[in-house]
Each structure stands twice: as C-alpha cells, then as structure tokens.
Amino acid sequence: MTTVVLSHSGVTPEDVIAVARHDAKVTISAEALAGVERVRAHIDELAHSETPAYGISTGFGALANRHIPTDMRTQLQKSLIRSHSAGMGPAVEREVVRALMFLRAKTLASGRTGVRPVVVQTMVDVLNAGITPVVREFGSLGCSGDLAPLSHCALVLMGEGEAAGPDGVVRPVPELLAEAGITQIELAEKEGLALVNGTDGMLGMLLMAIADLRLLLTTADITAALSVEGLLGTDQVFLPELHMELRPHPGQAASADNMLRVLANSPIVASHRVGDSRVQDAYSLRCAPQVAGAARDTVDHALMVATRELAASIDNPVVLPDGRVSSNGNFHGAPVAYVLDFLAIVAADVASIAERRTDRMLDPARSHGLPAFLAGDPGVDSGLMIAQYTQAGLVSDSKRLAVPASVDSIPSSAMQEDHVSMGWHAARKLRRSVENLRRVLAIELVTATRAIDMRTDMSDGELVPGPAGAAVLEVLRATVQGPGSDRFLSPELEEADRLVGSGAIRAAAEKATGRLN
C-alpha cells in the first residue's frame, strides 16, 4: 500500500488509481495545510465585511442576489448540501466515489477554495477510514460541478446521509464516523460551495477508463494476432516499413509492432507463406493496427486533457493569489465530457472489429478449413455459435453507448445554468462501454485459441502457434478448456473475462515478446 501526499504540486493519474482502487492512504503536506489556513483567514475577513461577496455572504446560483445575515450562514451551508444531495437510482461503484472524494480533497488542499483546514482533513480522514458515501447514479449535469454526487459526499462529513463502512455494509453515518474517531464538521461560510463545485466525478471516471483502455488495447493487439493465426492470416502487413514511414500515426505503428511480435516465429503463419492463393486478408485482420492504433492515439489525447484537468483548481468563486474572490465558469465539464464521448466511440469500434474476426472464425465459408462454429461435432454440437451472439449483443450495446452525451444540454436552475456538459453521464456510459469491450475481447480470446488448438489437432501437431500464442494458451487452458463437445459455456467466458481484465493475458504474451507497447 502506497501513501499519496496532497500538496501544491498536484497529483498524478497513478495517484488517483492508487487511492480509488487500491485504498492508498492520503496525507496532506504541512505546506498545503498552512496555505489553506492562510487563505481561510482572508475569507473570514470578507465574511465579516459589509460588502456582499458571492458564495460567502450571498445565496447561490439563481438565488445569488440575496444577502444572507451572519447568523443564518451556517444554516445556509447545511441547506445547500442537504438540498443538493438529491441523487436517485442505484449507488455508483466504490472506486468512483473514492476518486471523486480524493480529487475534491486535492482541490481543497490547493488553497484556492477558502475552506478551513479541518474540512479537507476530515475528507481525507473519511477516505483513509474506508468510509464510502452512497452516491446515486443520477443527479449531475456536469456543470456547476458534479453537484449531487459531491453533495452526497459532503453530507457524510456533516454526519448525515448514507455511507458504507470498510466492509461495504451501509450503516448510520454517525456510527461509522465514531468508530473511525472522526468528528463531524459544521460548515462555515463558503465551504458548502467549495465541497460541490468540481468536475471530480467525471474526471475520476475518465482516468480509470484511460487506465483500463490502455490494458485492453494492448490485449486487443494480442487477441487480433491470435485470430490471424487461427485464420491462417499473414503477418507481412504488420512490418514496420508499412506504418510509421508511410502513415506516421504513432498508435498504429505501436499496434502493428505488438501484433508482429506476438506472431513472431509462428509455425502456423510460416506454413502458408508459399502456395497460398489468397492475395490479402480481410480488413478485420489486415486493418487491425489502423483501428486499434487510432484508438491508442485517442486515448493519448484523452490523457492530455485529463492531465490538464488534474492540474486545475476548480471552484466558484475561486480565491486568486492576489486575494480576489472571483466568480468563474471553470466548473463546466465540456473539456472532460468531450473526451469521455470520444473514448466511448473508440471502445465501440475496437469491439466491433474484434467481433468481425470472431464471426469469421466460426463461418466454414471463411475460416479456411475450420469446422462450423468450432464445434466438436457440428450439427450435434453448436460450439461457439451463441458466444458470438453474446459478443454481437455487447457490440450493439456499445454502439448505442457511443452516442455522445456532451451534445445534449438541458437547462437548469431557472435558466441560470442554461448550458450544461452532461459529462457525468458521458462517464457513466463509458464505464459500461469499457466493460463491454473487455468481454468482447474475452470471447475473441476463447474463439481464437480454440481455432489454434483445432489447427494443431488437424495437422497432427505441426501447426502450432508462436511462443507468445503458446504462452497465452498455457495460461488460458489452466482454467478454460479447449475444443470438445458442448458444455456449460458461460463460466468459461467469465473466466476469460477475468484473465483479460486482470492483465494475465497480456503478461503471458509478454513472457515471449518482452514488454509490449
């Protein structure tokens, strides 16, 4: 377990993953806490001034014109958080809530929001205690921050709302805080706004999707290469001189290199280099690096946007270094929402081309000698026929999920917030699309390895995969059976999905290839 330190220098994508998924502990540097305290002193001065200041001594949003008397400001903060905790639907995943809270704590520690040190420290304490606020699926429009999700988190700091303990069981919040030795806080001026005005939910989900897609795109190169072996395809279209020199897209060159290395020294590939009447392979084989490579480049663009957003201190109003407290629109989620939508397109298309390779291996008219549906006894057995149905259903779902959310603005707050990003929704559908891609690749893996095994059996052991393919087969066959008569297939597909998601398939191939791109 690592420790992540919040300071003025910001955090990295790896820090977010460590906290969200691996329960890394979080600490706040003394320098950051001193900066937070210094800025808070300035906010206290403004709070006691006769001049109204937005977010400090006024209402919020469409109600910003009302000056709030001093004796009602604590109630104002409570009312803000309670009223904004209006989410509905199923609870989102624990890792999403942890990323959301960590990223908000990062901004609070920046010294640009005006909260007291106790606020950011309490949020960090809740994270470290493994307490997870219950955040509902619906409630954020991705503008003015992820308001409802962040409010559900802030409510727990106040000793209210819903939360689960380290064991995942939802229990009364005061009980969870008491067990962890955490004192609930009473919010002061400006602190309610500071806790809810950020793109933290959509950013956290973006960073986790990028991490997942990087693994899956490398795995897609591996499964595509195995499909080339299964379909007696050629490796010559993956030669480096056909990529960076002719079409300088770095992602394409990286994917082609991966596939060439996975196919290196493959007796199956070598067996038909002479005397094969086919001129070229189908697009789903030949153009695999172009599709997966474009996906890689899109992920790199998304990472650039995410890295910029990680460096941001988003709040409204924000405290500038010269002491000004300035209203702004930095909470608008458009930059993050766009790339979330881009990645949903990427996931759908990579899944789509993988499904086409699977279908080709199951069709005796196109599989170059393989039995129908890779069945043990076609007609009696159905083989992988319905596995491809499942794959097709996943791809169809991903195509629907690729419809952008970021173009669908719905005005809110009495037309004060008349254009919103829908970034939270873009992030939610991307998570499902990434899961779909992982499952599609798992089915291609099962199909391609069965096709390779059948080639080996049909040739009396002469047609075997290359070292990388053999290494993948060894790992897969430890828990997933090869060709044979029909059997309960769902558990095998689920196991293949687990191996893909854990990185075990990539690791197996890399035993032969070295580190893949």
Side-chain angles (χ1 to χ4, degrees):
M1 182 179 292
T2 59
T3 298
V4 176
V5 180
L6 294 177
S7 66
H8 293 308
S9 60
V11 298
T12 67
E14 293 75 19
D15 291 335
V16 178
I17 300 297
V19 174
R21 290 182 164 170
H22 306 300
D23 290 345
K25 294 298 181 183
V26 183
T27 62
I28 312 169
S29 73
E31 179 189 17
L33 285 173
V36 169
E37 188 167 16
R38 184 171 58 253
V39 173
R40 180 63 204 184
H42 179 57
I43 294 298
D44 286 338
E45 291 178 9
L46 293 174
H48 293 91
S49 169
E50 295 296 324
T51 304
Y54 173 66
I56 299 173
S57 54
T58 72
F60 313 121
L63 304 176
N65 290 329
R66 180 178 175 186
H67 183 264
I68 307 299
T70 303
D71 59 355
M72 296 181 65
R73 290 178 192 169
T74 296
Q75 184 60 42
L76 170 67
Q77 302 303 316
K78 292 179 181 178
S79 296
L80 171 72
I81 300 303
R82 288 168 178 164
S83 66
H84 285 41
S85 299
M88 292 185 70
V92 303
E93 303 82 2
R94 180 178 186 269
E95 66 178 24
V96 172
V97 180
R98 288 185 61 81
L100 174 78
M101 293 179 69
F102 174 66
L103 288 168
R104 197 68 219 147
K106 180 268 299 181
T107 293
L108 297 178
S110 71
R112 292 285 173 264
T113 68
V115 300
R116 292 167 296 156
V118 68
V119 175
V120 61
Q121 186 63 63
T122 301
M123 182 167 279
V124 165
D125 290 344
V126 168
L127 269 173
N128 288 339
I131 297 170
T132 306
V134 175
V135 173
R136 301 293 174 180
E137 180 86 21
F138 297 97
S140 174
L141 300 182
C143 200
S144 288
D146 287 318
L147 287 175
L150 284 164
S151 295
H152 281 271
C153 295
L155 201 60
V156 171
L157 306 188
M158 295 163 51
E160 303 177 21
E162 303 171 288
D167 57 0
V169 177
V170 175
R171 288 190 284 144
V173 172
E175 179 181 311
L176 291 171
L177 295 180
E179 284 183 4
I182 299 171
T183 302
Q184 66 189 52
I185 58 175
E186 186 161 306
L187 300 178
E189 294 92 345
K190 177 69 175 64
E191 291 177 339
L193 272 182
L195 283 167
V196 301
N197 252 306
T199 58
D200 308 293
M202 63 186 94
L203 176 58
M205 286 186 276
L206 172 61
L207 289 165
M208 288 186 283
I210 289 171
D212 292 341
L213 284 169
R214 287 190 152 187
L215 169 63
L216 293 180
L217 290 176
T218 300
T219 306
D221 294 336
I222 295 168
T223 58
L226 296 177
S227 293
V228 169
E229 287 189 297
L231 286 164
L232 298 180
T234 180
D235 62 353
Q236 296 304 291
V237 293
F238 311 128
L239 294 173
E241 56 266 31
L242 297 175
H243 296 280
M244 204 63 183
E245 294 179 24
L246 297 181
R247 197 183 193 196
H249 293 293
Q252 176 181 321
S255 283
D257 178 65
N258 282 348
M259 292 186 66
L260 191 64
R261 289 160 63 192
V262 172
L263 292 170
N265 302 312
S266 168
I268 293 180
V269 171
S271 70
H272 57 96
R273 283 192 175 134
V274 178
D276 192 330
S277 61
R278 289 173 294 164
V279 176
Q280 54 192 10
D281 291 329
Y283 285 10
S284 58
L285 302 177
R286 185 170 18 131
C287 301
Q290 284 76 8
V291 173
R296 287 173 173 274
D297 291 341
T298 304
V299 170
D300 285 345
H301 171 68
L303 180 60
M304 177 190 71
V305 172
T307 301
R308 290 173 177 171
E309 195 75 358
L310 263 182
S313 295
I314 295 175
D315 193 14
N316 182 47
V318 68
V319 185
L320 297 173
D322 62 8
R324 282 179 294 157
V325 180
S326 182
S327 181
N328 65 89
N330 286 337
F331 47 71
H332 198 289
V336 181
Y338 292 160
V339 293
L340 287 162
D341 281 335
F342 295 166
L343 293 182
I345 294 171
V346 159
D349 201 39
V350 175
S352 179
I353 196 172
E355 184 275 330
R356 287 294 80 205
R357 292 189 293 263
T358 298
D359 181 67
R360 184 166 288 270
M361 284 182 279
L362 301 183
D363 182 358
R366 295 177 291 148
S367 67
H368 309 293
L370 292 171
F373 303 107
L374 304 185
D377 185 0
V380 175
D381 293 325
S382 295
L384 298 180
M385 178 193 294
I386 306 305
Q388 186 268 331
Y389 283 31
T390 300
Q391 199 182 41
L394 290 163
V395 171
S396 182
D397 188 51
S398 291
K399 290 176 180 178
R400 291 190 295 272
L401 294 169
V403 175
S406 56
V407 298
D408 183 26
S409 174
I410 297 181
S412 56
S413 192
M415 292 299 287
Q416 177 72 6
E417 298 168 12
D418 58 354
H419 185 275
V420 297
S421 78
M422 292 295 178
W424 174 271
H425 291 267
R428 295 306 298 164
K429 68 184 182 65
L430 175 60
R431 284 180 68 82
R432 180 163 154 183
S433 191
V434 170
E435 288 181 353
N436 287 354
L437 173 59
R438 190 189 67 233
R439 291 170 177 144
V440 165
L441 295 178
I443 293 172
E444 182 182 19
L445 172 69
V446 168
T447 306
T449 52
R450 182 180 286 206
I452 290 170
D453 277 341
M454 286 183 159
R455 296 282 183 203
T456 302
D457 292 341
M458 292 160 59
S459 65
D460 293 326
E462 291 186 10
L463 298 184
V464 296
V472 170
L473 267 164
E474 182 181 1
V475 167
L476 184 66
R477 291 289 172 259
T479 51
V480 176
Q481 295 181 49
S485 59
D486 283 354
R487 54 189 180 265
F488 184 22
L489 196 54
S490 180
E492 295 187 11
L493 299 180
E494 292 288 353
E495 172 63 9
D497 179 39
R498 185 191 69 80
L499 292 171
V500 167
S502 70
I505 297 302
R506 172 177 176 165
E510 288 179 336
K511 289 180 180 178
T513 64
R515 182 72 173 174
L516 291 169
N517 298 307

